[in-house]
Amino acid sequence: MSRTQGNTRRHAGLIVRLAAMAVAMFGFGYLLVPLYDIFCEITGIGGRVNDEPASLAQLSGTPVDPDRRITVEFVASVNQQAPWEFRPNVVTMEVVPGELYNTAYFARNLTERGLVGTAVPSVSPGEAARHFLKIECFCFTEQAFAASEGRDMDVMFIVDPALPAHLDRVTLSYTFIETPRAAAAGNAR
Amino acid sequence: MSQTTHAGTHEHHDDHDHGPPKGIKRWLFTTNHKDIGTMYLVFALIMLFVGGAMSLVIRAELFQPGMQFVHPDFFNQMTTMHALIMVFGMIMPAFVGFANWMIPMMIGAPDMALPRLNNWSFWILPFASLLLLSTLFMPGGAPASGWTMYPPLVLQTGDAFPFLIFSVHLLGMSSILGAINIIVTIMNMRAPGMTLLKMPMFCWTWLITAYLLIAVMPVLAGGVTMLLTDQYFGTSFFQIAGGGDPVLFQHIFWFFGHPEVYIIILPAFGIISQILPTFSRKPLFGYESMVYAVAAIAFLSFIVWAHHMFTVGMPLAGQLFFMMSTMLIAIPTGVKIFNWTATMWRGSISFETPMLFSVAFLFLFTIGGFSGLMLAIVPADFQYHDSYFVVAHFHYVLVPGALFGAIAGAYYWLPKWTGHMYDETLGKVHFWLSAIFVNITFFPQHFVGLAGMPRRIPDYATQFADFNMISSIGAFGFGFSQLLFVYVIIKCVKGGQKATDQVWDNPEGLEWTVPSPAPYHTFDTAPVVK
């Protein structure tokens, strides 16, 4: 009787445990996706804190300093292949923290067919992201454009007075991207 | 460590064993650990030359500034494929080959625990590698985004993209199956008396490597599956338009990628730990601390991954954490280096070819380790990042590190495998050519990297010309020197001075108690280990 024979049953428990470990680690790879989102929301990486509309109730209650001025810069970019014209109507604004401001971006569909786009916001520096509250923004929803249509899209924001004192300049950047086909089809457009 | 009193050397035949069948069927259907080990090793040797030829295309293009031989896109395909082939097709299979051949003999087992699975893990490999190589002939060419496969760049790969993903899946599957087999073998098949802490170091390093493989290869599989679904099924794991983030891929990749570098180097540590005591004629210094050091390195490898991506923009606290944890690895690694040095200290040393490669490993791997420490320093890393300094660093740990470890192991065990001594003179010539050319190739890359030459670019500024020319000369010298290695192996397989059972001067380990060449079946009767 060879020593190799009749051993498989003896090994079964360990094999099952090791295989389960491999399957669990495959799942862990996917678990990293939500973990990463949570991590980014905590740290403000990528300006991700304001994916949902903010409300005035989220203001920190820090006393307003009427003499403080913050320069807000507006940046627009499109993927090099994306068929959009996209720019901010105003390039910079001087704002007082704690007050509500309105501005707009302009976008035009450069094709002869309907397009659906999504604007992805980013605030830099990263530590300013959580203090830049967008009350209303075209980036919260998908934007549908008819062929060659162009229009203004509004942004309403407040800079929280709790913005760290050493910051006097905040950049709001949008990248305008054609919504992936499958996602757009899912919205039955 | 272990003392052997009775060696289960005589072949114990029963009606089940008729020796190997003849011809191709022997290799296709074999479940014998020695046959499968041989196939792994031969396959790895072939892939060494495939991947090596690709690196010579790179070095030929970089011989002089300006565009000389190949289209830039093909250059990028070469850097990508060279890395994928060398990592997944060459160095990992080589060490699995050593594990197959040696672990059952070292622990006194008759075979691997799961011989049929073993056959399957090997035979996945050539097909997966052919799948990967076939992309070179596809419209749009082979993958050209670097072996790290970062999106969005990798999503611009042409028709080759799904083949890249599936070949990574298959190569990963092969590794996971091999790892499961090795763990079950080591845990369940040890000879009576062979306790875990009596096992040779090579078995220990492989046991821990196998756990690393099971822990991280599935994570890579998940990451590349996300790439696949992003490209074809409308998911948005890494597409910002759908709320994803390409940086997430880098986290997933390096969560796999950093343990992967230890998967590559730990078996080499094991081989070196077998060879140094033999030729120093002293037992391994600090055996238990070596085991704990390997375990510590394996644990730490899971919490350092972001040092590959300091420049993506992460919080200061994150940078500090990953810098400190990375530097912490220097401690267990230092324990190993000092233990190896202490093993040689006042030993009765002789410099046969395996010893020469091992001493070169010790010396040159340490250089690679030190440049790794430099890269771990966050502010310095911002300058070194993506420069040729990084290329020099990881080639020092991979070529005179892992590859020299594998070559040393091949010379060390060749007489046991073939029954013949290899040609010692040619072996030494092979060593000196390799050791000199590897330094000519990679040492100048430190300098051009520090001076600012970026990696993965087919052209460079003229001030880097001299060092690049030296580096290319070294690369061609190193590449052609390896043909000598093949010649030595073939010569040794065909004949030569008969090897004794012990082969070396009183080496430690059960593998030296069986005849040379090792019979087809060993330890059908368990040896007794005191």
Side-chain angles (χ1 to χ4, degrees), chain A residues 50 52-62 64 96-102 130-136 140 156-162:
Chain A
N50 293 340
E52 298 295 318
S55 72
L56 294 174
Q58 281 172 260
L59 285 176
S60 61
T62 307
V64 177
V96 178
E99 286 183 23
L100 195 61
Y101 291 90
N102 263 314
R130 75 178 72 187
H131 304 294
F132 194 94
L133 304 179
K134 295 192 290 292
I135 306 300
E136 181 58 64
F140 297 141
M156 191 186 290
F157 66 92
I158 300 180
V159 177
D160 192 311

PDB file of all heavy atoms in Angstrom, chain A residues 50 52-62 64 96-102 130-136 140 156-162:
ATOM      1  N   ASN A  50     -19.047  65.887  -1.273  1.00  0.00           N
ATOM      2  CA  ASN A  50     -20.292  66.560  -1.624  1.00  0.00           C
ATOM      3  C   ASN A  50     -20.997  65.922  -2.808  1.00  0.00           C
ATOM      4  O   ASN A  50     -21.490  66.611  -3.673  1.00  0.00           O
ATOM      5  CB  ASN A  50     -20.027  68.038  -1.925  1.00  0.00           C
ATOM      6  CG  ASN A  50     -19.603  68.766  -0.672  1.00  0.00           C
ATOM      7  OD1 ASN A  50     -19.856  68.290   0.432  1.00  0.00           O
ATOM      8  ND2 ASN A  50     -18.952  69.890  -0.837  1.00  0.00           N
ATOM      9  N   GLU A  52     -23.736  64.438  -2.622  1.00  0.00           N
ATOM     10  CA  GLU A  52     -25.159  64.680  -2.399  1.00  0.00           C
ATOM     11  C   GLU A  52     -25.338  66.166  -2.105  1.00  0.00           C
ATOM     12  O   GLU A  52     -24.430  66.821  -1.593  1.00  0.00           O
ATOM     13  CB  GLU A  52     -25.641  63.857  -1.194  1.00  0.00           C
ATOM     14  CG  GLU A  52     -25.519  62.356  -1.380  1.00  0.00           C
ATOM     15  CD  GLU A  52     -26.417  61.850  -2.487  1.00  0.00           C
ATOM     16  OE1 GLU A  52     -27.574  62.298  -2.569  1.00  0.00           O
ATOM     17  OE2 GLU A  52     -25.945  61.007  -3.292  1.00  0.00           O
ATOM     18  N   PRO A  53     -26.541  66.717  -2.417  1.00  0.00           N
ATOM     19  CA  PRO A  53     -26.762  68.142  -2.118  1.00  0.00           C
ATOM     20  C   PRO A  53     -26.573  68.410  -0.631  1.00  0.00           C
ATOM     21  O   PRO A  53     -27.041  67.655   0.213  1.00  0.00           O
ATOM     22  CB  PRO A  53     -28.215  68.363  -2.527  1.00  0.00           C
ATOM     23  CG  PRO A  53     -28.530  67.264  -3.471  1.00  0.00           C
ATOM     24  CD  PRO A  53     -27.678  66.098  -3.078  1.00  0.00           C
ATOM     25  N   ALA A  54     -25.862  69.484  -0.331  1.00  0.00           N
ATOM     26  CA  ALA A  54     -25.687  69.869   1.059  1.00  0.00           C
ATOM     27  C   ALA A  54     -26.833  70.777   1.448  1.00  0.00           C
ATOM     28  O   ALA A  54     -27.520  71.342   0.599  1.00  0.00           O
ATOM     29  CB  ALA A  54     -24.353  70.586   1.228  1.00  0.00           C
ATOM     30  N   SER A  55     -27.079  70.912   2.753  1.00  0.00           N
ATOM     31  CA  SER A  55     -28.104  71.866   3.192  1.00  0.00           C
ATOM     32  C   SER A  55     -27.465  72.842   4.155  1.00  0.00           C
ATOM     33  O   SER A  55     -26.384  72.592   4.692  1.00  0.00           O
ATOM     34  CB  SER A  55     -29.264  71.131   3.869  1.00  0.00           C
ATOM     35  OG  SER A  55     -28.833  70.669   5.132  1.00  0.00           O
ATOM     36  N   LEU A  56     -28.156  73.961   4.381  1.00  0.00           N
ATOM     37  CA  LEU A  56     -27.593  74.985   5.253  1.00  0.00           C
ATOM     38  C   LEU A  56     -27.403  74.449   6.665  1.00  0.00           C
ATOM     39  O   LEU A  56     -26.572  74.945   7.422  1.00  0.00           O
ATOM     40  CB  LEU A  56     -28.516  76.216   5.276  1.00  0.00           C
ATOM     41  CG  LEU A  56     -28.595  76.939   3.922  1.00  0.00           C
ATOM     42  CD1 LEU A  56     -29.627  78.051   3.976  1.00  0.00           C
ATOM     43  CD2 LEU A  56     -27.240  77.501   3.542  1.00  0.00           C
ATOM     44  N   ALA A  57     -28.164  73.399   6.980  1.00  0.00           N
ATOM     45  CA  ALA A  57     -28.056  72.830   8.322  1.00  0.00           C
ATOM     46  C   ALA A  57     -26.685  72.211   8.560  1.00  0.00           C
ATOM     47  O   ALA A  57     -26.290  71.994   9.699  1.00  0.00           O
ATOM     48  CB  ALA A  57     -29.139  71.769   8.513  1.00  0.00           C
ATOM     49  N   GLN A  58     -25.953  71.926   7.446  1.00  0.00           N
ATOM     50  CA  GLN A  58     -24.653  71.292   7.626  1.00  0.00           C
ATOM     51  C   GLN A  58     -23.559  72.285   7.977  1.00  0.00           C
ATOM     52  O   GLN A  58     -22.428  71.892   8.222  1.00  0.00           O
ATOM     53  CB  GLN A  58     -24.264  70.552   6.342  1.00  0.00           C
ATOM     54  CG  GLN A  58     -24.970  69.220   6.207  1.00  0.00           C
ATOM     55  CD  GLN A  58     -24.714  68.604   4.853  1.00  0.00           C
ATOM     56  OE1 GLN A  58     -25.565  68.695   3.973  1.00  0.00           O
ATOM     57  NE2 GLN A  58     -23.558  68.002   4.684  1.00  0.00           N
ATOM     58  N   LEU A  59     -23.888  73.575   7.953  1.00  0.00           N
ATOM     59  CA  LEU A  59     -22.866  74.555   8.325  1.00  0.00           C
ATOM     60  C   LEU A  59     -22.426  74.296   9.750  1.00  0.00           C
ATOM     61  O   LEU A  59     -23.223  73.911  10.604  1.00  0.00           O
ATOM     62  CB  LEU A  59     -23.438  75.981   8.197  1.00  0.00           C
ATOM     63  CG  LEU A  59     -23.578  76.488   6.762  1.00  0.00           C
ATOM     64  CD1 LEU A  59     -24.245  77.863   6.764  1.00  0.00           C
ATOM     65  CD2 LEU A  59     -22.225  76.572   6.093  1.00  0.00           C
ATOM     66  N   SER A  60     -21.170  74.518   9.985  1.00  0.00           N
ATOM     67  CA  SER A  60     -20.619  74.100  11.270  1.00  0.00           C
ATOM     68  C   SER A  60     -21.024  75.023  12.409  1.00  0.00           C
ATOM     69  O   SER A  60     -20.859  74.671  13.564  1.00  0.00           O
ATOM     70  CB  SER A  60     -19.098  74.090  11.165  1.00  0.00           C
ATOM     71  OG  SER A  60     -18.672  75.407  10.857  1.00  0.00           O
ATOM     72  N   GLY A  61     -21.538  76.226  12.074  1.00  0.00           N
ATOM     73  CA  GLY A  61     -21.880  77.163  13.140  1.00  0.00           C
ATOM     74  C   GLY A  61     -20.698  77.981  13.600  1.00  0.00           C
ATOM     75  O   GLY A  61     -20.791  78.744  14.571  1.00  0.00           O
ATOM     76  N   THR A  62     -19.585  77.836  12.905  1.00  0.00           N
ATOM     77  CA  THR A  62     -18.429  78.676  13.216  1.00  0.00           C
ATOM     78  C   THR A  62     -18.796  80.136  12.947  1.00  0.00           C
ATOM     79  O   THR A  62     -19.440  80.424  11.939  1.00  0.00           O
ATOM     80  CB  THR A  62     -17.243  78.277  12.328  1.00  0.00           C
ATOM     81  OG1 THR A  62     -17.038  76.881  12.463  1.00  0.00           O
ATOM     82  CG2 THR A  62     -15.984  79.040  12.719  1.00  0.00           C
ATOM     83  N   VAL A  64     -19.090  83.794  11.625  1.00  0.00           N
ATOM     84  CA  VAL A  64     -18.700  84.330  10.331  1.00  0.00           C
ATOM     85  C   VAL A  64     -17.764  85.511  10.528  1.00  0.00           C
ATOM     86  O   VAL A  64     -18.014  86.383  11.367  1.00  0.00           O
ATOM     87  CB  VAL A  64     -19.948  84.772   9.544  1.00  0.00           C
ATOM     88  CG1 VAL A  64     -19.542  85.390   8.220  1.00  0.00           C
ATOM     89  CG2 VAL A  64     -20.875  83.590   9.339  1.00  0.00           C
ATOM     90  N   VAL A  96     -17.296  85.546   0.668  1.00  0.00           N
ATOM     91  CA  VAL A  96     -17.213  85.625   2.128  1.00  0.00           C
ATOM     92  C   VAL A  96     -17.732  84.303   2.666  1.00  0.00           C
ATOM     93  O   VAL A  96     -18.820  83.875   2.284  1.00  0.00           O
ATOM     94  CB  VAL A  96     -18.075  86.788   2.664  1.00  0.00           C
ATOM     95  CG1 VAL A  96     -18.031  86.825   4.185  1.00  0.00           C
ATOM     96  CG2 VAL A  96     -17.616  88.099   2.063  1.00  0.00           C
ATOM     97  N   PRO A  97     -16.989  83.654   3.504  1.00  0.00           N
ATOM     98  CA  PRO A  97     -17.452  82.371   4.049  1.00  0.00           C
ATOM     99  C   PRO A  97     -18.768  82.548   4.796  1.00  0.00           C
ATOM    100  O   PRO A  97     -18.966  83.533   5.500  1.00  0.00           O
ATOM    101  CB  PRO A  97     -16.333  81.965   5.019  1.00  0.00           C
ATOM    102  CG  PRO A  97     -15.137  82.710   4.550  1.00  0.00           C
ATOM    103  CD  PRO A  97     -15.629  83.996   3.970  1.00  0.00           C
ATOM    104  N   GLY A  98     -19.673  81.612   4.595  1.00  0.00           N
ATOM    105  CA  GLY A  98     -20.958  81.650   5.272  1.00  0.00           C
ATOM    106  C   GLY A  98     -22.051  82.280   4.437  1.00  0.00           C
ATOM    107  O   GLY A  98     -23.216  82.250   4.817  1.00  0.00           O
ATOM    108  N   GLU A  99     -21.708  82.870   3.282  1.00  0.00           N
ATOM    109  CA  GLU A  99     -22.755  83.458   2.434  1.00  0.00           C
ATOM    110  C   GLU A  99     -22.987  82.576   1.214  1.00  0.00           C
ATOM    111  O   GLU A  99     -22.091  81.892   0.739  1.00  0.00           O
ATOM    112  CB  GLU A  99     -22.359  84.872   2.009  1.00  0.00           C
ATOM    113  CG  GLU A  99     -22.508  85.852   3.165  1.00  0.00           C
ATOM    114  CD  GLU A  99     -22.201  87.276   2.750  1.00  0.00           C
ATOM    115  OE1 GLU A  99     -22.301  87.579   1.546  1.00  0.00           O
ATOM    116  OE2 GLU A  99     -21.843  88.059   3.643  1.00  0.00           O
ATOM    117  N   LEU A 100     -24.221  82.671   0.707  1.00  0.00           N
ATOM    118  CA  LEU A 100     -24.631  81.818  -0.398  1.00  0.00           C
ATOM    119  C   LEU A 100     -24.306  82.490  -1.730  1.00  0.00           C
ATOM    120  O   LEU A 100     -24.572  83.678  -1.911  1.00  0.00           O
ATOM    121  CB  LEU A 100     -26.148  81.580  -0.284  1.00  0.00           C
ATOM    122  CG  LEU A 100     -26.766  80.459  -1.099  1.00  0.00           C
ATOM    123  CD1 LEU A 100     -26.175  79.122  -0.723  1.00  0.00           C
ATOM    124  CD2 LEU A 100     -28.274  80.456  -0.863  1.00  0.00           C
ATOM    125  N   TYR A 101     -23.717  81.743  -2.649  1.00  0.00           N
ATOM    126  CA  TYR A 101     -23.369  82.307  -3.958  1.00  0.00           C
ATOM    127  C   TYR A 101     -23.917  81.426  -5.070  1.00  0.00           C
ATOM    128  O   TYR A 101     -24.091  80.231  -4.909  1.00  0.00           O
ATOM    129  CB  TYR A 101     -21.839  82.400  -4.114  1.00  0.00           C
ATOM    130  CG  TYR A 101     -21.225  83.429  -3.198  1.00  0.00           C
ATOM    131  CD1 TYR A 101     -20.807  83.080  -1.923  1.00  0.00           C
ATOM    132  CD2 TYR A 101     -21.077  84.757  -3.625  1.00  0.00           C
ATOM    133  CE1 TYR A 101     -20.272  84.009  -1.077  1.00  0.00           C
ATOM    134  CE2 TYR A 101     -20.537  85.705  -2.763  1.00  0.00           C
ATOM    135  CZ  TYR A 101     -20.128  85.333  -1.497  1.00  0.00           C
ATOM    136  OH  TYR A 101     -19.600  86.273  -0.656  1.00  0.00           O
ATOM    137  N   ASN A 102     -24.148  82.083  -6.213  1.00  0.00           N
ATOM    138  CA  ASN A 102     -24.609  81.404  -7.415  1.00  0.00           C
ATOM    139  C   ASN A 102     -23.613  81.610  -8.533  1.00  0.00           C
ATOM    140  O   ASN A 102     -23.084  82.706  -8.681  1.00  0.00           O
ATOM    141  CB  ASN A 102     -25.929  82.035  -7.895  1.00  0.00           C
ATOM    142  CG  ASN A 102     -27.105  81.238  -7.413  1.00  0.00           C
ATOM    143  OD1 ASN A 102     -27.110  80.022  -7.513  1.00  0.00           O
ATOM    144  ND2 ASN A 102     -28.081  81.934  -6.873  1.00  0.00           N
ATOM    145  N   ARG A 130     -14.390  69.252   2.470  1.00  0.00           N
ATOM    146  CA  ARG A 130     -15.540  69.053   3.344  1.00  0.00           C
ATOM    147  C   ARG A 130     -16.161  70.391   3.783  1.00  0.00           C
ATOM    148  O   ARG A 130     -17.237  70.411   4.359  1.00  0.00           O
ATOM    149  CB  ARG A 130     -15.133  68.223   4.551  1.00  0.00           C
ATOM    150  CG  ARG A 130     -14.316  68.992   5.573  1.00  0.00           C
ATOM    151  CD  ARG A 130     -13.989  68.141   6.762  1.00  0.00           C
ATOM    152  NE  ARG A 130     -12.988  67.129   6.413  1.00  0.00           N
ATOM    153  CZ  ARG A 130     -12.610  66.171   7.230  1.00  0.00           C
ATOM    154  NH1 ARG A 130     -13.155  66.061   8.404  1.00  0.00           N
ATOM    155  NH2 ARG A 130     -11.673  65.326   6.866  1.00  0.00           N
ATOM    156  N   HIS A 131     -15.449  71.486   3.529  1.00  0.00           N
ATOM    157  CA  HIS A 131     -15.991  72.792   3.919  1.00  0.00           C
ATOM    158  C   HIS A 131     -16.618  73.518   2.741  1.00  0.00           C
ATOM    159  O   HIS A 131     -17.073  74.642   2.876  1.00  0.00           O
ATOM    160  CB  HIS A 131     -14.884  73.663   4.526  1.00  0.00           C
ATOM    161  CG  HIS A 131     -14.202  73.014   5.692  1.00  0.00           C
ATOM    162  ND1 HIS A 131     -14.846  72.761   6.879  1.00  0.00           N
ATOM    163  CD2 HIS A 131     -12.945  72.542   5.836  1.00  0.00           C
ATOM    164  CE1 HIS A 131     -14.011  72.160   7.709  1.00  0.00           C
ATOM    165  NE2 HIS A 131     -12.849  72.002   7.101  1.00  0.00           N
ATOM    166  N   PHE A 132     -16.599  72.897   1.570  1.00  0.00           N
ATOM    167  CA  PHE A 132     -17.183  73.513   0.389  1.00  0.00           C
ATOM    168  C   PHE A 132     -18.519  72.842   0.135  1.00  0.00           C
ATOM    169  O   PHE A 132     -18.599  71.712  -0.340  1.00  0.00           O
ATOM    170  CB  PHE A 132     -16.235  73.323  -0.808  1.00  0.00           C
ATOM    171  CG  PHE A 132     -16.589  74.190  -1.978  1.00  0.00           C
ATOM    172  CD1 PHE A 132     -15.975  75.430  -2.157  1.00  0.00           C
ATOM    173  CD2 PHE A 132     -17.536  73.789  -2.900  1.00  0.00           C
ATOM    174  CE1 PHE A 132     -16.306  76.233  -3.229  1.00  0.00           C
ATOM    175  CE2 PHE A 132     -17.879  74.594  -3.968  1.00  0.00           C
ATOM    176  CZ  PHE A 132     -17.257  75.823  -4.141  1.00  0.00           C
ATOM    177  N   LEU A 133     -19.608  73.548   0.507  1.00  0.00           N
ATOM    178  CA  LEU A 133     -20.920  72.916   0.466  1.00  0.00           C
ATOM    179  C   LEU A 133     -21.659  73.346  -0.795  1.00  0.00           C
ATOM    180  O   LEU A 133     -21.902  74.534  -1.016  1.00  0.00           O
ATOM    181  CB  LEU A 133     -21.738  73.321   1.695  1.00  0.00           C
ATOM    182  CG  LEU A 133     -21.077  73.031   3.048  1.00  0.00           C
ATOM    183  CD1 LEU A 133     -21.975  73.493   4.183  1.00  0.00           C
ATOM    184  CD2 LEU A 133     -20.773  71.548   3.193  1.00  0.00           C
ATOM    185  N   LYS A 134     -22.005  72.343  -1.626  1.00  0.00           N
ATOM    186  CA  LYS A 134     -22.768  72.635  -2.839  1.00  0.00           C
ATOM    187  C   LYS A 134     -24.240  72.406  -2.532  1.00  0.00           C
ATOM    188  O   LYS A 134     -24.676  71.275  -2.321  1.00  0.00           O
ATOM    189  CB  LYS A 134     -22.298  71.765  -4.000  1.00  0.00           C
ATOM    190  CG  LYS A 134     -20.861  72.083  -4.411  1.00  0.00           C
ATOM    191  CD  LYS A 134     -20.465  71.444  -5.720  1.00  0.00           C
ATOM    192  CE  LYS A 134     -20.314  69.949  -5.631  1.00  0.00           C
ATOM    193  NZ  LYS A 134     -19.170  69.531  -4.798  1.00  0.00           N
ATOM    194  N   ILE A 135     -25.020  73.505  -2.468  1.00  0.00           N
ATOM    195  CA  ILE A 135     -26.440  73.382  -2.127  1.00  0.00           C
ATOM    196  C   ILE A 135     -27.209  72.877  -3.336  1.00  0.00           C
ATOM    197  O   ILE A 135     -28.125  72.074  -3.240  1.00  0.00           O
ATOM    198  CB  ILE A 135     -26.993  74.769  -1.693  1.00  0.00           C
ATOM    199  CG1 ILE A 135     -26.134  75.357  -0.567  1.00  0.00           C
ATOM    200  CG2 ILE A 135     -28.451  74.667  -1.281  1.00  0.00           C
ATOM    201  CD1 ILE A 135     -26.074  74.515   0.681  1.00  0.00           C
ATOM    202  N   GLU A 136     -26.804  73.375  -4.514  1.00  0.00           N
ATOM    203  CA  GLU A 136     -27.475  72.965  -5.750  1.00  0.00           C
ATOM    204  C   GLU A 136     -26.371  72.801  -6.785  1.00  0.00           C
ATOM    205  O   GLU A 136     -25.465  73.638  -6.865  1.00  0.00           O
ATOM    206  CB  GLU A 136     -28.461  74.070  -6.171  1.00  0.00           C
ATOM    207  CG  GLU A 136     -29.239  73.773  -7.425  1.00  0.00           C
ATOM    208  CD  GLU A 136     -30.047  72.481  -7.293  1.00  0.00           C
ATOM    209  OE1 GLU A 136     -30.940  72.433  -6.449  1.00  0.00           O
ATOM    210  OE2 GLU A 136     -29.740  71.527  -8.035  1.00  0.00           O
ATOM    211  N   PHE A 140     -25.186  66.769  -9.552  1.00  0.00           N
ATOM    212  CA  PHE A 140     -25.890  65.753  -8.780  1.00  0.00           C
ATOM    213  C   PHE A 140     -26.710  64.827  -9.667  1.00  0.00           C
ATOM    214  O   PHE A 140     -27.082  63.736  -9.268  1.00  0.00           O
ATOM    215  CB  PHE A 140     -26.819  66.418  -7.751  1.00  0.00           C
ATOM    216  CG  PHE A 140     -26.067  67.227  -6.721  1.00  0.00           C
ATOM    217  CD1 PHE A 140     -26.576  68.435  -6.268  1.00  0.00           C
ATOM    218  CD2 PHE A 140     -24.869  66.786  -6.212  1.00  0.00           C
ATOM    219  CE1 PHE A 140     -25.887  69.173  -5.320  1.00  0.00           C
ATOM    220  CE2 PHE A 140     -24.180  67.532  -5.260  1.00  0.00           C
ATOM    221  CZ  PHE A 140     -24.690  68.733  -4.819  1.00  0.00           C
ATOM    222  N   MET A 156     -24.906  76.341  -6.803  1.00  0.00           N
ATOM    223  CA  MET A 156     -25.161  77.214  -5.651  1.00  0.00           C
ATOM    224  C   MET A 156     -24.329  76.669  -4.499  1.00  0.00           C
ATOM    225  O   MET A 156     -24.431  75.492  -4.182  1.00  0.00           O
ATOM    226  CB  MET A 156     -26.655  77.174  -5.309  1.00  0.00           C
ATOM    227  CG  MET A 156     -27.104  78.219  -4.323  1.00  0.00           C
ATOM    228  SD  MET A 156     -28.835  77.949  -3.887  1.00  0.00           S
ATOM    229  CE  MET A 156     -29.651  78.383  -5.403  1.00  0.00           C
ATOM    230  N   PHE A 157     -23.487  77.504  -3.912  1.00  0.00           N
ATOM    231  CA  PHE A 157     -22.566  76.963  -2.898  1.00  0.00           C
ATOM    232  C   PHE A 157     -22.331  77.936  -1.750  1.00  0.00           C
ATOM    233  O   PHE A 157     -22.545  79.142  -1.859  1.00  0.00           O
ATOM    234  CB  PHE A 157     -21.226  76.605  -3.547  1.00  0.00           C
ATOM    235  CG  PHE A 157     -20.458  77.802  -4.062  1.00  0.00           C
ATOM    236  CD1 PHE A 157     -19.528  78.463  -3.259  1.00  0.00           C
ATOM    237  CD2 PHE A 157     -20.676  78.269  -5.344  1.00  0.00           C
ATOM    238  CE1 PHE A 157     -18.830  79.555  -3.725  1.00  0.00           C
ATOM    239  CE2 PHE A 157     -19.988  79.380  -5.823  1.00  0.00           C
ATOM    240  CZ  PHE A 157     -19.058  80.023  -5.008  1.00  0.00           C
ATOM    241  N   ILE A 158     -21.905  77.385  -0.650  1.00  0.00           N
ATOM    242  CA  ILE A 158     -21.460  78.157   0.516  1.00  0.00           C
ATOM    243  C   ILE A 158     -20.107  77.617   0.930  1.00  0.00           C
ATOM    244  O   ILE A 158     -19.901  76.408   0.945  1.00  0.00           O
ATOM    245  CB  ILE A 158     -22.415  77.993   1.724  1.00  0.00           C
ATOM    246  CG1 ILE A 158     -23.805  78.473   1.382  1.00  0.00           C
ATOM    247  CG2 ILE A 158     -21.875  78.721   2.940  1.00  0.00           C
ATOM    248  CD1 ILE A 158     -24.772  78.314   2.545  1.00  0.00           C
ATOM    249  N   VAL A 159     -19.179  78.512   1.259  1.00  0.00           N
ATOM    250  CA  VAL A 159     -17.940  78.066   1.878  1.00  0.00           C
ATOM    251  C   VAL A 159     -18.129  78.167   3.376  1.00  0.00           C
ATOM    252  O   VAL A 159     -18.438  79.234   3.908  1.00  0.00           O
ATOM    253  CB  VAL A 159     -16.746  78.920   1.419  1.00  0.00           C
ATOM    254  CG1 VAL A 159     -15.479  78.472   2.133  1.00  0.00           C
ATOM    255  CG2 VAL A 159     -16.569  78.817  -0.087  1.00  0.00           C
ATOM    256  N   ASP A 160     -17.987  77.050   4.063  1.00  0.00           N
ATOM    257  CA  ASP A 160     -18.183  77.024   5.519  1.00  0.00           C
ATOM    258  C   ASP A 160     -17.123  77.894   6.203  1.00  0.00           C
ATOM    259  O   ASP A 160     -15.934  77.781   5.869  1.00  0.00           O
ATOM    260  CB  ASP A 160     -18.072  75.565   5.992  1.00  0.00           C
ATOM    261  CG  ASP A 160     -18.547  75.390   7.416  1.00  0.00           C
ATOM    262  OD1 ASP A 160     -18.114  76.164   8.282  1.00  0.00           O
ATOM    263  OD2 ASP A 160     -19.359  74.467   7.652  1.00  0.00           O
ATOM    264  N   PRO A 161     -17.510  78.719   7.141  1.00  0.00           N
ATOM    265  CA  PRO A 161     -16.506  79.555   7.844  1.00  0.00           C
ATOM    266  C   PRO A 161     -15.477  78.715   8.596  1.00  0.00           C
ATOM    267  O   PRO A 161     -14.420  79.228   8.971  1.00  0.00           O
ATOM    268  CB  PRO A 161     -17.349  80.361   8.831  1.00  0.00           C
ATOM    269  CG  PRO A 161     -18.728  80.327   8.280  1.00  0.00           C
ATOM    270  CD  PRO A 161     -18.877  79.028   7.554  1.00  0.00           C
ATOM    271  N   ALA A 162     -15.773  77.437   8.786  1.00  0.00           N
ATOM    272  CA  ALA A 162     -14.805  76.572   9.468  1.00  0.00           C
ATOM    273  C   ALA A 162     -13.625  76.208   8.565  1.00  0.00           C
ATOM    274  O   ALA A 162     -12.727  75.472   8.991  1.00  0.00           O
ATOM    275  CB  ALA A 162     -15.491  75.291   9.950  1.00  0.00           C
TER     276      ALA A 162
END
